[in-house]
Amino acid sequence: DERFKKTFNFVRREEHFKEFEGLLTGKDCERIINWAQSRILAQDALSEKINKAWEEGKFNVKYYDAYNQNIARGVGNQDRIDLKFYESVLLTRVFLSTARLTGVPLNRITDLSVHKLTIGSKATDLNKLDFYVSDKESSHVEYSLTIFLNDDFDEGQMCFPYIENDIRDYLVKPKAGKAVWIREKDQSRFDVLKSTMHRHFAPSSGIRDKWIMRVGI
């Protein structure tokens, strides 16, 4: 509570959209990025070991089980890593802060994921290469909270083309610790809301790639 009073600040509030700063500190963000990078390195090392064992004719069920366990933990994708809330006090705090800010019961919040958008790559909405489509089967997520983990790059904004009738292509500028809460689907019809359709632009240049964390609700 005391830290929120010092750092938390609303930038913009709409019915289905909230943008605010100070959810995480810069130090918090760096810790999460380091966790994600360590998972990627672990998966790379395991993949190299599996490939070598296969080439040498020594591939066995031990390697296969280890590989599948890492895939199940979200370690098999170099651009996305899944983390559990119980892995650290910091992640637990993210879990509790999400519930507090959104008013959603804790049991409705799923595990969080960390995504890397490589410098110079194509814009993405994390699941597809363009905007969300009105597909009832596309996602079970009704709300989402996106947190920017770094900002040492150029561009890389989060774009909302239909947030208001008089505003087109509203851009959220990345800042470490900044978060965006949106309602992605209509509660009554469970269709995708046009006003919060969005996509992420990858950075055009910079010191390192863009890292974001997403919590599905």
Side-chain angles (χ1 to χ4, degrees), residues 79-160:
D79 298 321
R80 169 180 173 157
I81 300 295
D82 291 332
L83 297 172
K84 304 293 185 181
F85 289 109
Y86 53 74
E87 291 186 55
S88 76
V89 174
L90 172 56
L91 297 180
T92 301
R93 178 152 55 82
V94 172
F95 178 64
L96 296 174
S97 297
T98 300
R100 179 181 176 186
L101 290 169
T102 61
V104 173
L106 293 174
N107 61 4
R108 286 194 55 192
I109 304 176
T110 61
D111 293 334
L112 58 85
S113 56
V114 178
H115 303 255
K116 180 180 72 172
L117 284 78
T118 307
I119 291 175
S121 60
K122 191 173 181 179
T124 178
D125 71 322
L126 304 184
N127 296 315
K128 302 178 177 63
L129 292 179
D130 214 328
F131 301 116
Y132 282 104
V133 294
S134 183
D135 181 356
K136 294 180 180 179
E137 302 300 321
S138 64
S139 173
H140 67 281
V141 173
E142 185 177 353
Y143 304 92
S144 69
L145 181 73
T146 299
I147 307 170
F148 293 95
L149 298 178
N150 68 316
D151 52 27
D152 48 354
F153 50 79
D154 299 316
E155 299 184 356
Q157 303 95 332
M158 188 176 183
C159 176
F160 291 83

Side-chain angles (χ1 to χ4, degrees), residues 2-209:
E2 290 302 318
R3 189 181 68 81
F4 267 165
K5 290 178 182 178
K6 295 179 180 178
T7 64
F8 192 79
N9 177 50
F10 274 105
V11 178
R12 183 186 180 98
R13 280 191 266 194
E14 305 292 340
E15 182 181 3
H16 302 304
F17 171 95
K18 293 180 177 65
E19 176 186 354
F20 44 88
E21 297 176 350
L23 180 63
L24 295 177
T25 66
K27 186 177 180 180
D28 292 338
C29 294
E30 288 300 321
R31 288 175 62 190
I32 293 171
I33 291 174
N34 289 337
W35 281 332
Q37 289 177 322
S38 66
R39 293 285 179 84
I40 290 174
L41 291 174
Q43 176 59 26
D44 288 345
L46 180 59
S47 296
E48 185 177 345
K49 183 180 290 187
I50 289 173
N51 291 334
K52 184 177 180 181
W54 184 272
E55 292 171 358
E56 296 176 351
K58 299 178 181 179
F59 186 83
N60 57 42
V61 69
K62 178 182 70 173
Y63 291 116
Y64 182 78
D65 288 344
Y67 182 78
N68 280 337
Q69 286 172 8
N70 278 281
I71 293 297
R73 290 171 54 227
V75 186
N77 187 333
Q78 291 190 352
D79 298 321
R80 169 180 173 157
I81 300 295
D82 291 332
L83 297 172
K84 304 293 185 181
F85 289 109
Y86 53 74
E87 291 186 55
S88 76
V89 174
L90 172 56
L91 297 180
T92 301
R93 178 152 55 82
V94 172
F95 178 64
L96 296 174
S97 297
T98 300
R100 179 181 176 186
L101 290 169
T102 61
V104 173
L106 293 174
N107 61 4
R108 286 194 55 192
I109 304 176
T110 61
D111 293 334
L112 58 85
S113 56
V114 178
H115 303 255
K116 180 180 72 172
L117 284 78
T118 307
I119 291 175
S121 60
K122 191 173 181 179
T124 178
D125 71 322
L126 304 184
N127 296 315
K128 302 178 177 63
L129 292 179
D130 214 328
F131 301 116
Y132 282 104
V133 294
S134 183
D135 181 356
K136 294 180 180 179
E137 302 300 321
S138 64
S139 173
H140 67 281
V141 173
E142 185 177 353
Y143 304 92
S144 69
L145 181 73
T146 299
I147 307 170
F148 293 95
L149 298 178
N150 68 316
D151 52 27
D152 48 354
F153 50 79
D154 299 316
E155 299 184 356
Q157 303 95 332
M158 188 176 183
C159 176
F160 291 83
Y162 309 115
I163 195 168
E164 284 185 0
N165 292 330
D166 58 340
I167 297 179
R168 296 301 301 271
D169 293 339
Y170 177 72
L171 299 176
V172 177
K173 184 178 180 181
K175 181 178 180 180
K178 176 186 281 188
V180 176
W181 172 88
I182 63 172
R183 183 172 198 153
E184 297 197 8
K185 292 193 174 183
D186 180 87
Q187 189 175 29
S188 58
R189 295 176 298 165
F190 222 63
D191 289 331
V192 173
L193 288 173
K194 182 178 180 180
S195 62
T196 57
M197 290 171 65
H198 62 282
R199 61 178 172 182
H200 285 269
F201 292 112
S204 59
S205 60
I207 297 175
R208 58 179 170 174
D209 299 321

